[in-house]
Amino acid sequence: MFAYIKGVLAFFNPSQAIVDVHGVGYLLFIPCRLLGQLPQIGEPVQFYTTYVVREFSHTLYGFLNYQERDIFEILMNVTGIGPKMALSLIGHLSMSELQIAVMRQDLSTLCRVPGVGKKTAERLIVELKDKLAAIGHLDMSDHIEPLTQDPKSKSVQDAMLALINLGYNQTTAQKAIKQGMKELPEEIDLAQLITVALKHV
């Protein structure tokens, strides 16, 4: 029903975003990994969306690229995987991490996602093996290097949550982190990023 929504970012937190489209606010549920990738409140944004209808709810789910939206829809077709679990998988694993974990039958990586147990991970591997291969191409380096989460992206996410937990709003926290990252080298750690960001709030 909704292929994408384009408007102004009015609000966001680790699990939700509101997009203002000509005075109408659309509430979307988003993967937690998007927290450090969103623009500042008041700036333009576009989400690729999936509209999920259940007996007692009509819900929009938003993603910053169509590949993640497509994976979300594929995940929901796996036996026992609903939208909440699909969103959690995308929120904790990048597209390449998920593809590689399925290809390698890496149960430990899949089980690190909250709510995913061994049986669910095994089901994901069986049902996704062929489907995910058609979504996107993986560089050969992805097959050779160990499966790890981008440390810089993880530090940004954790720093955002830390500032929000300290009482700063999303706009202030995001602006401070963006300013702080300009002063830091390419390799950053969480404590260093938070310390520098606090100078800009």
Side-chain angles (χ1 to χ4, degrees):
M1 183 175 182
F2 298 98
Y4 64 86
I5 291 178
K6 186 176 183 179
V8 174
L9 187 63
F11 168 84
F12 69 88
N13 62 31
S15 62
Q16 299 175 333
I18 295 177
V19 182
D20 185 325
V21 183
H22 302 301
V24 178
Y26 291 88
L27 174 64
L28 298 89
F29 287 87
I30 61 174
C32 61
R33 194 160 44 84
L34 296 190
L35 190 61
Q37 303 175 34
L38 294 174
Q40 294 184 27
I41 289 176
E43 293 185 352
V45 69
Q46 176 174 305
F47 287 98
Y48 293 88
T49 57
T50 293
Y51 185 54
V52 178
V53 178
R54 292 289 187 264
E55 185 177 0
F56 298 108
S57 67
H58 291 200
T59 309
L60 275 170
Y61 295 86
F63 310 89
L64 292 182
N65 61 68
Y66 70 88
Q67 293 97 334
E68 287 192 343
R69 188 268 313 278
D70 292 347
I71 287 180
F72 176 76
E73 294 178 351
I74 288 173
L75 287 169
M76 286 198 301
N77 288 320
V78 174
T79 306
I81 302 294
K84 183 177 180 180
M85 178 68 72
L87 200 68
S88 182
L89 282 159
I90 293 174
H92 290 84
L93 298 174
S94 69
M95 183 169 69
S96 61
E97 285 177 323
L98 181 59
Q99 287 177 303
I100 295 169
V102 170
M103 180 188 69
R104 292 178 172 174
Q105 301 184 31
D106 186 350
L107 293 176
S108 62
T109 293
L110 294 173
C111 287
R112 82 182 190 208
V113 176
V116 176
K118 183 179 179 181
K119 289 185 178 180
T120 300
E122 291 173 343
R123 193 181 307 122
L124 284 165
I125 289 170
V126 170
E127 297 192 31
L128 292 180
K129 190 172 183 181
D130 296 327
K131 295 178 181 177
L132 286 185
I135 288 293
H137 174 70
L138 290 176
D139 293 333
M140 288 306 297
S141 59
D142 286 334
H143 295 266
I144 298 170
E145 295 298 324
L147 192 62
T148 58
Q149 185 175 14
D150 179 2
K152 186 173 181 179
S153 176
K154 182 67 163 58
S155 294
V156 169
Q157 295 172 36
D158 291 344
M160 279 287 294
L161 290 174
L163 292 185
I164 291 170
N165 288 334
L166 287 172
Y168 299 102
N169 61 41
Q170 290 93 342
T171 302
T172 300
Q174 187 175 43
K175 187 174 181 180
I177 289 172
K178 284 184 177 180
Q179 290 296 320
M181 289 179 67
K182 294 178 182 178
E183 302 176 13
L184 294 173
E186 188 67 22
E187 297 294 329
I188 59 175
D189 61 48
L190 178 59
Q192 189 179 22
L193 179 55
I194 293 173
T195 299
V196 175
L198 284 171
K199 297 178 183 178
H200 295 282
V201 295

